[in-house]
Amino acid sequence: MSDRLFIDECLSSTLVAVAKKRGVSADFCQHIGKGGWSDWRIVSFSIDNDYVVVTNNRRHFLREYAKATLHNGLIVIVPNVVAREQIRLLEVALDEMQRLGGDLINKLVEVLGDGSVHTREWTRESHDPRHLSDPSWR
């Protein structure tokens, strides 16, 4: 179980402060020398270093996490929005993380622009490949 977040460079670095204010450890990719890394390298690094990745790069990360047998979790802020909205949506994701007792092992948490949150298992053995290109949030 990890409550340590890796904020991807496609999101605002201000999300680190939002997480830390809630008592959740967080690092911004560029601040720890991981800026410009490919998605597969980020996934490997995150798994090896007990991070939950927070990204807006939905399709690429879903593909990479679908290859994993075990991971710490993936949070996707689905819409591409400005920093203020990213903050609001991360707060929703952090609420979900708290509701789950911090346990995001093998889970995908997707937060939509309307604030709805959708959590499902996402691993090599447990994912719906159709959700990549034709997402269904129920």
Side-chain angles (χ1 to χ4, degrees):
M1 176 166 55
S2 176
D3 62 354
R4 193 169 162 204
L5 303 181
F6 179 98
I7 309 296
D8 191 16
E9 65 189 344
C10 61
L11 297 171
S12 172
S13 63
T14 60
L15 297 182
V16 171
V18 172
K20 288 182 176 182
K21 185 177 178 183
R22 297 272 301 260
V24 177
S25 176
D27 292 307
F28 186 64
C29 64
Q30 292 175 328
H31 295 170
I32 59 171
K34 309 304 180 218
W37 273 26
S38 61
D39 299 336
W40 70 266
R41 280 185 77 192
I42 291 171
V43 170
S44 178
F45 172 81
S46 296
I47 290 171
D48 290 346
N49 292 279
D50 297 326
Y51 279 103
V52 173
V53 170
V54 181
T55 188
N56 180 254
N57 192 350
R58 181 182 179 279
R59 190 173 297 166
H60 295 151
F61 277 90
L62 288 184
R63 282 190 184 123
E64 291 303 319
Y65 275 87
K67 298 173 188 175
T69 302
L70 181 66
H71 62 81
N72 297 311
L74 174 64
I75 296 173
V76 179
I77 296 175
V78 175
N80 186 6
V81 293
V82 297
R84 183 180 68 250
E85 283 298 295
Q86 290 176 20
I87 290 168
R88 181 181 70 83
L89 298 175
L90 179 64
E91 290 279 4
V92 171
L94 293 172
D95 290 344
E96 176 70 355
M97 195 169 156
Q98 182 178 13
R99 186 187 74 76
L100 294 170
D103 184 6
L104 294 184
I105 298 293
N106 288 342
K107 292 198 175 36
L108 163 64
V109 175
E110 294 177 287
V111 183
L112 305 184
D114 63 4
S116 62
V117 61
H118 305 273
T119 303
R120 66 178 71 210
E121 295 293 315
W122 198 267
T123 64
R124 182 179 342 184
E125 292 80 25
S126 179
H127 75 279
D128 179 0
R130 295 171 298 179
H131 188 67
L132 287 164
S133 57
D134 186 20
S136 61
W137 290 290
R138 294 174 228 146

